[in-house]
Amino acid sequence: RESGTTSPEMDGRLLRRFFEDLRLLRPERRREVISTQFSQAQRLALERWLLSERTQEQGAAPASVATLQQRRTAGRRRNGDRHAATPGGGLSRCGRRAAVAAAAAMTPRRATCRAKPFRPRRVAAPKDEVSAGICSWRESCGRTWHVASVAVENLRIRAGAVQDFRVAKEVFDALQAARRAGIAEGCEALDVRLPGALEEALLQRGLTGDRDPRLRFCVAVPARCWVGGQLRTPYVSALGVALAARRRLREARGPSSAGERRDLATEEESEANWARLNTVYISICTEAGADATAVAARLSVLHEKRQARRLEQRQERSDRLALKMQRQFQADEARRARRAERELQRAERASRLAAQREKWSIES
């Protein structure tokens, strides 16, 4: 580079080449080269060229921006139908979000926030307020509740919760007296004797009017062979309704022994009996106000679990039987092997004894 070279003699190609070469140098080395190797005229020429290049780039930028804006506008026009259905349709993404938020803020909202109900925590009741047949618990707020209940055959009788333990004890004594009078002549006379016995027991103890124990009744039917346990109907306040449900369930269930129907010889008979009991139970629950679909679904789940459990138990029994037979066979084989070994040893001893006798006879 000659120091006498002036800027008019340097064309754009040479300046661009100088610029590209200078960009490859480190900043310190670049400043040193420009200050020592370039003349003042050359430095001014390079500066004017850089300014002209930047001006050209800035002049071309609006065109590219406008082109990008045109593409965005065309895209929004193509998707206008999709955006028109939402607040802020036709806007950019941020604009649509702002429009949706503004529309939601202007829309009147109904207050849906509900306070959670207070449910006191239950703890064990004091020992002096605990008795057989009475369920007692104390809430975290300090109140103690007592519920008397009794079972008359497969009929469950439960009184309302009271805070006075003595009242709960009186109700329990009345229920016990009615139970003894109801089952005095057997299970068949329960439907006839229990209503009168219960009313008489309550009247004798003055549990009427304001002291009404608010009795509720439910029926438990044994169904272990179908659902693995008992089926209980919803609690009702009418004793006659509960007794009628008890009769219907007993007729559909048939005789039972420890929750099983041992008189059913085949699987088809068992399933037919379950179908009758299932229908009657769903009908009784529906009359008590329960949802028939939910009850049927619950029974179906319980029945499927019981069937799966029965298959597992059957497979376990067969596996145990097979293992027992295998062990018995192995024991028999071992016994026969020991017997054969003893016989072989006996034969060997006999042969040795015969050989010894023969030797003795020859020697003598």
Side-chain angles (χ1 to χ4, degrees):
R1 300 181 180 88
E2 298 179 357
S3 59
T5 307
T6 58
S7 59
E9 299 175 359
M10 301 175 63
D11 56 356
R13 184 179 302 177
L14 183 60
L15 291 173
R16 182 176 295 277
R17 183 176 178 181
F18 287 160
F19 177 73
E20 296 295 337
D21 293 340
L22 290 172
R23 288 182 59 184
L24 299 177
L25 301 177
R26 291 181 297 179
E28 297 82 1
R29 180 59 179 166
R30 187 186 309 136
R31 286 193 294 270
E32 181 182 357
V33 169
I34 293 175
S35 60
T36 58
Q37 302 294 332
F38 281 66
S39 63
Q40 181 66 21
Q42 291 173 346
R43 288 195 293 270
L44 293 176
L46 181 60
E47 184 178 357
R48 284 194 296 269
W49 179 81
L50 289 175
L51 291 176
S52 63
E53 289 292 326
R54 291 179 181 177
T55 304
Q56 293 178 4
E57 291 178 0
Q58 292 177 359
S64 61
V65 172
T67 304
L68 179 59
Q69 187 68 24
Q70 291 176 0
R71 290 199 299 268
R72 289 179 178 176
T73 304
R76 286 198 298 270
R77 288 175 180 174
R78 288 194 301 269
N79 300 331
D81 296 338
R82 180 168 60 88
H83 297 317
T86 60
L91 300 176
S92 63
R93 183 178 301 177
C94 296
R96 287 197 301 273
R97 290 179 180 175
V100 171
M106 291 186 295
T107 303
R109 297 178 60 185
R110 185 176 59 183
T112 58
C113 181
R114 298 179 181 177
K116 293 184 178 180
F118 174 70
R119 296 181 179 178
R121 185 172 58 89
R122 293 185 176 185
V123 296
K127 293 184 178 180
D128 56 345
E129 297 184 359
V130 176
S131 176
I134 300 178
C135 178
S136 303
W137 70 91
R138 171 170 289 181
E139 296 178 348
S140 57
C141 57
R143 293 180 299 184
T144 304
W145 297 92
H146 311 278
V147 175
S149 61
V150 70
V152 186
E153 296 294 337
N154 59 340
L155 180 68
R156 305 292 191 270
I157 306 176
R158 186 181 68 183
V162 294
Q163 298 187 30
D164 193 348
F165 179 75
R166 292 173 297 179
V167 175
K169 186 65 175 175
E170 291 180 3
V171 173
F172 177 72
D173 294 340
L175 295 179
Q176 283 288 78
R179 175 182 178 275
R180 288 190 293 268
I183 63 176
E185 298 183 5
C187 180
E188 300 298 334
L190 181 65
D191 297 350
V192 179
R193 295 183 58 86
L194 183 61
L198 185 59
E199 183 178 0
E200 182 180 357
L202 295 177
L203 287 175
Q204 288 179 357
R205 292 164 176 79
L207 298 174
T208 57
D210 296 339
R211 302 187 65 195
D212 184 13
R214 306 188 307 277
L215 299 180
R216 299 183 67 81
F217 312 90
C218 83
V219 182
V221 57
R224 183 184 303 173
C225 56
W226 296 298
V227 296
Q230 292 183 341
L231 292 177
R232 292 192 178 186
T233 62
Y235 276 91
V236 294
S237 58
L239 177 59
V241 175
L243 293 176
R246 177 175 175 271
R247 287 192 298 269
R248 293 170 58 187
L249 289 173
R250 288 187 62 190
E251 293 175 359
R253 173 64 175 80
S256 63
S257 175
E260 300 285 349
R261 281 295 303 271
R262 305 186 185 278
D263 57 331
L264 300 177
T266 62
E267 190 72 21
E268 290 75 10
E269 294 179 357
S270 177
E271 290 299 323
N273 195 355
W274 165 246
R276 292 194 302 270
L277 179 61
N278 189 11
T279 303
V280 174
Y281 180 78
I282 293 176
S283 175
I284 292 174
C285 292
T286 305
E287 294 172 0
D291 186 8
T293 305
V295 175
R298 181 172 64 88
L299 291 180
S300 177
V301 171
L302 293 176
H303 185 58
E304 291 177 359
K305 288 183 178 180
R306 179 57 179 174
Q307 291 295 100
R309 179 56 183 165
R310 291 182 66 180
L311 291 177
E312 292 179 1
Q313 292 176 349
R314 189 177 303 171
Q315 185 65 30
E316 291 175 359
R317 286 195 297 267
S318 63
D319 293 343
R320 287 196 299 268
L321 181 59
L323 181 60
K324 181 179 179 181
M325 294 179 63
Q326 183 180 3
R327 290 178 177 176
Q328 185 67 29
F329 177 76
Q330 293 176 355
D332 294 342
E333 288 291 331
R335 192 180 302 110
R336 284 193 292 268
R338 290 194 299 269
R339 186 181 304 168
E341 185 178 359
R342 287 196 300 268
E343 291 178 356
L344 181 60
Q345 292 176 358
R346 191 180 299 114
E348 290 178 355
R349 286 196 300 269
S351 63
R352 287 197 301 269
L353 182 58
Q356 188 69 24
R357 287 178 179 177
E358 184 178 358
K359 182 179 179 181
W360 288 344
S361 62
I362 293 174
E363 290 178 354
S364 61

